[in-house]
Amino acid sequence: MSPGTRREVIGLCKGGLKYPTIEKELGVKADTVKKIMRRCNNGHNGKSAPRTGRPKKLDKRDCRHLENYITKNRDQRREPLADISTTLNLNVHPDTIYTALVEIGLGHRIERKRPYLSAQQKKKRLEFAKAHIHWGEEECRRVEFTDEMGLQTGANQRNIYVWRYPEEEYEEDVCAATHKSGFKKIKVWGAMRYGALSNLVVLSEKKGGGKFNAREYVDEIMDGELFDIWMKDMEELGDVLIMEDGAGYHCGAARSCREDYEKDGWQGWGPGTWPPSSPDLNPIENLWHILRTNITKREPRPMKKQELIDALQEEWKRLDMDKVNKLIESMPRRMQAVIDAKGGSTHY
């Protein structure tokens, strides 16, 4: 029966017509009219009362127990659903557990990879962020952020799924710790500040795949492109900070070179000042991601070393300066995010 006919039946009944009369008027059997009015008088507006349906296999208590178990620690967030069912003696199919977890708000998502942070490293990150939280965009625009990038790092690309709430994306229990490893194959160095990029420097390849050292860093970077952009920035801005992370080759001979430059006005966040394991505080890391993405979109993709070098140089020069500037302007928010995380990992 259509909703319109049902409403018409109810209207005629409320108008005082008898069931047999309505049957003659609308062709609806008197018994059916009687059932419609019974439902209407029971508060269901002429429709069938809602059925209770089949009871769920996991009640509210089971769901609370399940939620508390999974969110207890990082190992249980990664436990297979079948094992969880056995451990909690739920005696249900893994699909039933999956449905219950989704209803709770937990999602089976790929774990994020963030640098491992010790208690001491968190402390240094927090201290650095608190010391510079008062910096506005104007101060951040005077920082030259530098970094090296390796296109092939040998990282494990297997995706690991964990149970977490959406807002837990960067909690320690749901992230995989990553550790720095030596760069392989193409290695480049670059720098960025508000409104400007350095030249992209392709670092020389050592025979036998040896590691880049401090003397080479001085010869190829500090006394080369980094010195040139420092002098240019000083002429344009009058005051600039050079940011360098705590990589091993930024020390030793590089520290001696830095001390010599300081006599001529060199200022910066170098090793010892820049907090350890803090790629989220260096916006050039995001620029590297954009550069890698642009390389993977090229058709045909560069397959030889020189092709890759040429592609890198081309894509570096094509980078959108508006995106560069927005990354620089995000620094105050990055500092605040570190403070909010008490020195821990952030979403940057």
Side-chain angles (χ1 to χ4, degrees), residues 146-150 183 188-190 203 217 221 245 247 249-250 288:
T146 74
D147 193 28
E148 297 82 15
M149 177 189 71
F183 295 126
V188 295
W189 176 95
L203 305 180
Y217 177 70
I221 304 300
D245 63 24
Y249 46 81
H250 292 169
W288 290 142

Side-chain angles (χ1 to χ4, degrees), residues 231-245:
M231 295 299 293
K232 181 180 179 181
D233 290 348
M234 291 290 283
E235 290 178 5
E236 292 184 11
L237 304 175
D239 184 29
V240 68
L241 282 176
I242 304 295
M243 174 267 148
E244 301 166 280
D245 63 24

Side-chain angles (χ1 to χ4, degrees), residues 37-106:
M37 292 311 299
R38 186 186 303 128
R39 294 168 186 166
C40 180
N41 294 332
N42 287 339
H44 300 301
N45 198 28
K47 298 179 182 179
S48 299
R51 269 70 167 179
T52 57
R54 180 178 178 180
K56 293 185 176 181
K57 291 185 177 181
L58 297 178
D59 58 23
K60 291 183 179 180
R61 182 178 177 277
D62 292 330
C63 290
R64 285 197 302 271
H65 192 192
L66 183 61
E67 179 182 13
N68 292 336
Y69 177 82
I70 285 181
T71 58
K72 186 175 181 179
N73 59 50
R74 62 181 296 114
D75 290 333
Q76 287 168 202
R77 287 179 182 269
R78 292 159 174 77
E79 193 171 337
L81 295 181
D83 293 352
I84 293 174
S85 179
T86 302
T87 301
L88 299 182
N89 196 27
L90 296 175
N91 195 29
V92 295
H93 192 275
D95 289 349
T96 302
I97 297 180
Y98 182 93
T99 301
L101 291 173
V102 170
E103 290 177 354
I104 290 170
L106 287 164

Side-chain angles (χ1 to χ4, degrees), residues 162-226:
V162 298
W163 287 104
R164 64 171 174 81
Y165 296 106
E167 63 271 19
E168 290 183 314
E169 187 172 4
Y170 295 98
E171 295 281 343
E172 285 187 3
D173 281 356
V174 298
C175 288
T178 60
H179 300 266
K180 289 185 177 180
S181 60
F183 295 126
K184 299 177 182 178
K185 295 192 176 179
I186 303 296
K187 294 179 286 189
V188 295
W189 176 95
M192 62 181 282
R193 67 168 173 85
Y194 190 89
L197 290 174
S198 71
N199 291 318
L200 190 68
V201 179
V202 180
L203 305 180
S204 58
E205 185 178 1
K206 299 182 70 173
K207 291 183 179 180
K211 292 185 177 180
F212 198 59
N213 60 43
R215 186 68 262 168
E216 291 165 333
Y217 177 70
V218 171
D219 293 341
E220 297 187 34
I221 304 300
M222 292 196 75
D223 287 346
E225 181 64 17
L226 184 54

Side-chain angles (χ1 to χ4, degrees), residues 95-141:
D95 289 349
T96 302
I97 297 180
Y98 182 93
T99 301
L101 291 173
V102 170
E103 290 177 354
I104 290 170
L106 287 164
H108 205 208
R109 300 175 172 93
I110 298 172
E111 63 180 359
R112 299 289 187 180
K113 289 179 170 56
R114 311 302 291 175
Y116 169 77
L117 293 171
S118 65
Q120 185 63 23
Q121 289 171 332
K122 290 180 183 179
K123 180 182 177 182
K124 290 182 178 179
R125 281 166 52 83
L126 184 58
E127 290 173 349
F128 182 86
K130 286 183 175 179
H132 298 91
I133 189 59
H134 65 281
W135 276 37
E137 292 179 358
E138 187 60 35
E139 289 89 349
C140 295
R141 290 180 180 187

Side-chain angles (χ1 to χ4, degrees), residues 319-333:
L319 288 171
D320 186 347
M321 194 55 63
D322 286 339
K323 291 183 179 179
V324 172
N325 293 341
K326 287 180 180 179
L327 289 172
I328 298 294
E329 290 172 345
S330 70
M331 283 305 295
R333 299 191 297 275

